Amino acid sequence: MSAVGSAAQTTVPAPGAVLDGDAPGGVRRRRGPSLTTSRGGFWFVLPFLVVYALFTLWPIVYGLGMSFFDTSLISGGAQFVGLDNYARLLGDGEVWRTLGITLLFTLLSTVPLVLISLGMALLVHTGTRGQWFWRFAYFAPFLLPVATVVLIWQWLFQGDFGLVNGALGLVGLPDVGWLSDPAVGLWSVVVLTVWWTVGFNFLLYLAALQAIPQTVYEAAAIDGAAGWRRLVSITLPLLKVTTGLVLTLQVLASLKLFDQAYILYGGSGGPGGVAAPVLQYVYDTGFVNYRLGYAAAISYVFFLIIIVVSLVQAGISRRRSA
Amino acid sequence: MAATSTGVDVARPDAPRPLRKSREGVSRAQQASLLTRSAIATALAVLAVAWLAPLFWALVTSLKYEADTTTVPLELVPEAGFTLDAYRSVLSNDNLITWFVNSTVVTLVVTALTLALSTTAAYGFSRTSFRGRGLLFGLVVAGIMVPPQILLVPLYQQVLAMGLADTYAGIILPQLVVPAMVFILKKFFDGIPRELEEAARVDGAGTFRIFWQVVMPLSRSIVAAVGIFVFIGAWNNFLWPFIIISDPDLMTLPVGLVQVQSSFGVRYAQVMASALLAGLPLIVIFMLFQRQIVRGVATTGLGGT
């Protein structure tokens, strides 16, 4: 690279003067508007676009079409039913119940995932020795495949010989039916998810903290701000943008709950079905009961909700920054 | 990325420090900071124990004899001692080896192809002009909003119609396009000074050579970050392979593991051993690439899940 650069400088003293192209034989006459834009750009974009069109754009359109049909995987036939799928969906209690579980999970998981990750980042950023170790300890679970995470926690959540109840027993608390009590079935998914994914938010916060220039604190120190005051009036306000990002990414990630809840309860939805998110209902409807058209319709209602949530969040963050 | 930005005295609490000079002012502040420091250290340690205990317990369990895994009360060191039996039987299970190979192949191919498609597309959108560029890029950006999960049903139909169910291609192809990655790479390419390209062009380099020999070498860090995230995502992907693969010989590790769990029943040592083996490659990668991963999260703000 640098060789190319220096060679260019020796042969061409004034880059602006060569716009007409004094390349050998005048073969390379430029057709683009200027030297800074290259020809053939479309060919760079094309491979991506082909795969994108085939495996994202077309399925979006096709899925929307499917939702107007009574498509069955078995019969293969598809009958146009118009808005029937959507009408049925409105009266389907299971749709609203699983949507409710998804929203509840999003609420229950987002709050600790933001607060704990912020706390971790603030603690690690104080500069205590062994940064490498803390970073590893908090982030490592994020790297594990969902199957590994769930297998470990299924084992930890066991009622009589599980580590979690063992630890509760140590501090004198009674056993909890993590996998069997309908009242805590969803909490188990929350605990597992917080443990698994908090490290990602933690790294986002840590990076933001490290980007705050030291001079800001030095200026504050001159004004006599230290300790708690420094945290509340300088650090936290400077983290606002990051908090917005973390919150947005987290809400969108939590809304997509499926894998861990599905594997943890072997697809049963947990005790009394309290941990069956809407995506599991989509999966069951489409791939277990083979009602693909109806499953597609549920997917699109869910998509609509995600878009609304995103727009609301974007609106809130715009108002906050304005 | 290390503790460079913080004050020296806080960064190294037990480094030799000068004796306290005077009683006024300093000692009070230092007392407070000593208290704060130990509170911080305690909080860090409590959290670390909470976060590492599950992994540690899984490791201990995987090293026990099967009979010792369900004792009440829990014992850290069983009387019968430890054994590698669980690992031996897991590794002699042909399926697990097959799934490991499948996961490796799928993950490497997905990572390589995703990088190839995303970097070229991002370069095209960033540094070249052609008709419809703005519109097409808008289409890609809009794709960031679409959660892959809502595409499950139509994508399944699509892959089925193409005859790709139960094939490597069926697992790989739908994972290759990640609009967010194109967006991140384009933003990075936008920041590369034009002069470098102009110089190369004056020297007679074609568009592809500029991409390959000027832009890519300058973008090593961001490409590494994106690559690592694609790798993590592909290795850990569960839902799509779970749906599209029914042949045990083609299953990836996460999908296979869920089968193991139901087939092993209550043999916890073996379940823990296979779960840890599945997680090991990424832990090793983290050890090797910690810097890039941390910086990657910072600059891209995106990851798996």
Side-chain angles (χ1 to χ4, degrees):
Chain A
M1 193 292 296
S2 60
V4 174
S6 59
Q9 263 165 24
T10 50
T11 49
V12 185
V18 293
L19 264 168
D20 286 322
D22 47 12
V27 187
R28 300 191 157 267
R29 282 206 64 88
R30 301 197 35 83
R31 264 186 264 153
S34 85
L35 257 185
T36 57
T37 51
S38 322
R39 288 167 48 208
F42 184 70
W43 300 107
F44 279 83
V45 178
L46 190 65
F48 176 88
L49 284 181
V50 169
V51 186
Y52 185 56
L54 216 52
F55 293 101
T56 301
L57 296 181
W58 172 242
I60 291 175
V61 177
Y62 183 63
L64 190 62
M66 275 177 85
S67 69
F68 299 116
F69 283 84
D70 185 8
T71 325
S72 165
L73 250 185
I74 308 174
S75 66
Q79 201 188 348
F80 184 78
V81 293
L83 289 171
D84 272 14
N85 283 329
Y86 290 94
R88 189 187 329 162
L89 178 161
L90 289 177
D92 184 348
E94 197 61 9
V95 171
W96 304 110
R97 197 182 72 84
T98 53
L99 257 178
I101 290 170
T102 303
L103 293 174
L104 182 61
F105 171 81
T106 303
L107 187 73
L108 294 180
S109 62
T110 299
V111 174
L113 275 167
V114 172
L115 293 181
I116 294 176
S117 62
L118 175 62
M120 283 174 162
L122 288 172
L123 288 169
V124 171
H125 188 64
T126 56
T128 312
R129 288 226 298 184
Q131 288 237 345
W132 187 92
F133 173 74
W134 309 120
R135 223 151 55 184
F136 172 75
Y138 304 151
F139 187 70
F142 181 75
L143 293 166
L144 299 175
V146 60
T148 294
V149 171
V150 174
L151 292 184
I152 290 176
W153 280 91
Q154 248 170 359
W155 164 232
L156 299 176
F157 278 144
Q158 288 298 321
D160 30 13
F161 47 81
L163 182 67
V164 182
N165 277 351
L168 289 180
L170 273 184
V171 288
L173 291 168
D175 281 1
V176 174
W178 293 102
L179 300 174
S180 56
D181 184 349
V184 289
L186 189 59
W187 280 104
S188 309
V189 183
V190 170
V191 169
L192 174 163
T193 307
V194 169
W195 179 81
W196 179 30
T197 61
V198 79
F200 182 72
N201 295 350
F202 156 72
L203 280 195
L204 281 180
Y205 270 126
L206 193 61
L209 282 171
Q210 286 169 345
I212 298 176
Q214 201 55 31
T215 48
V216 174
Y217 291 119
E218 281 157 14
I222 291 168
D223 290 346
W228 191 250
R229 183 67 205 278
R230 183 175 120 142
L231 174 73
V232 174
S233 8
I234 303 171
T235 311
L236 291 183
L238 285 175
L239 287 179
K240 238 182 203 165
V241 175
T242 308
T243 301
L245 176 73
V246 168
L247 211 57
T248 308
L249 292 177
Q250 188 55 56
V251 167
L252 290 178
S254 286
L255 283 174
K256 296 178 207 159
L257 170 68
F258 174 82
D259 296 3
Q260 63 267 43
Y262 184 87
I263 306 174
L264 186 64
Y265 294 115
S268 74
V274 294
V278 67
L279 280 174
Q280 186 167 331
Y281 190 52
V282 170
Y283 174 83
D284 286 341
T285 306
F287 299 100
V288 179
N289 299 322
Y290 303 118
R291 291 151 69 203
L292 287 173
Y294 190 44
I298 303 171
S299 301
Y300 278 81
V301 170
F302 178 55
F303 187 25
L304 192 70
I305 291 173
I306 285 188
I307 290 177
V308 169
V309 170
S310 309
L311 291 178
V312 168
Q313 272 187 333
I316 290 173
S317 65
R318 193 170 308 140
R319 196 179 315 152
R320 204 188 290 145
S321 62
Chain B
M1 274 286 140
T4 46
S5 60
T6 48
V8 182
D9 61 324
V10 198
R12 331 183 56 206
D14 46 5
R17 44 176 65 247
L19 293 169
R20 293 174 192 185
K21 292 165 221 143
S22 58
R23 283 206 51 81
E24 62 261 45
V26 185
S27 74
R28 208 166 178 211
Q30 284 202 338
Q31 255 176 6
S33 81
L34 188 71
L35 200 71
T36 319
R37 273 212 310 275
S38 40
I40 287 171
T42 311
L44 278 167
V46 167
L47 282 169
V49 167
W51 255 255
L52 288 179
L55 288 176
F56 178 71
W57 192 246
L59 181 67
V60 169
T61 303
S62 73
L63 292 170
K64 286 180 180 176
Y65 286 98
E66 207 57 66
D68 292 327
T69 56
T70 55
T71 49
V72 181
L74 312 174
E75 9 173 66
L76 191 58
V77 183
E79 246 172 71
F82 292 108
T83 173
L84 288 172
D85 272 5
Y87 288 91
R88 238 172 260 134
S89 59
V90 161
L91 288 173
S92 66
N93 176 346
D94 287 345
N95 272 340
L96 203 85
I97 306 283
T98 310
W99 298 332
F100 205 94
V101 171
N102 286 342
S103 267
T104 308
V105 171
V106 166
T107 303
L108 290 178
V109 174
V110 166
T111 308
L113 288 181
T114 305
L115 281 182
L117 290 176
S118 314
T119 50
T120 47
Y123 176 75
F125 283 129
S126 168
R127 315 299 291 210
T128 71
S129 71
F130 52 88
R131 203 175 302 172
R133 188 181 75 151
L135 183 78
L136 288 174
F137 186 63
L139 213 56
V140 174
V141 172
I144 296 175
M145 285 281 289
V146 182
Q149 285 85 348
I150 74 132
L151 295 178
L152 283 183
V153 175
L155 206 51
Y156 177 75
Q157 289 280 71
Q158 167 91 341
V159 170
L160 216 58
M162 294 170 83
L164 297 177
D166 268 325
T167 64
Y168 276 142
I171 313 177
I172 291 169
L173 284 170
Q175 296 191 52
L176 296 184
V177 280
V178 191
M181 297 299 166
V182 176
F183 183 73
I184 289 161
L185 288 166
K186 180 194 178 278
K187 272 186 98 172
F188 186 90
F189 291 164
D190 284 346
I192 295 176
R194 298 255 169 202
E195 291 74 19
L196 292 169
E197 261 182 87
E198 285 170 23
R201 187 164 294 284
V202 164
D203 264 12
T207 309
F208 186 77
R209 259 193 69 195
I210 292 175
F211 164 71
W212 191 245
Q213 297 190 334
V214 178
V215 174
M216 286 303 271
L218 288 171
S219 313
R220 228 172 259 156
S221 63
I222 192 88
V223 172
V226 167
I228 288 164
F229 282 121
V230 173
F231 189 96
I232 295 176
W235 183 269
N236 292 346
N237 196 351
F238 168 75
L239 185 51
W240 178 249
F242 177 66
I243 284 175
I244 204 64
I245 296 299
S246 51
D247 178 356
D249 286 341
L250 282 168
M251 283 177 182
T252 56
L253 210 43
V255 181
L257 271 185
V258 175
Q259 316 288 316
V260 166
Q261 169 212 22
S262 37
S263 65
F264 279 2
V266 287
R267 276 183 283 167
Y268 287 110
Q270 293 193 22
V271 172
M272 289 308 124
S274 43
L276 288 175
L277 285 176
L280 196 62
L282 292 183
I283 299 284
V284 171
I285 284 186
F286 180 74
M287 302 276 194
L288 293 176
F289 296 106
Q290 178 161 216
R291 233 162 219 286
Q292 280 91 332
I293 291 177
V294 172
R295 201 182 307 136
V297 171
T299 51
T300 61
L302 281 162
T305 53

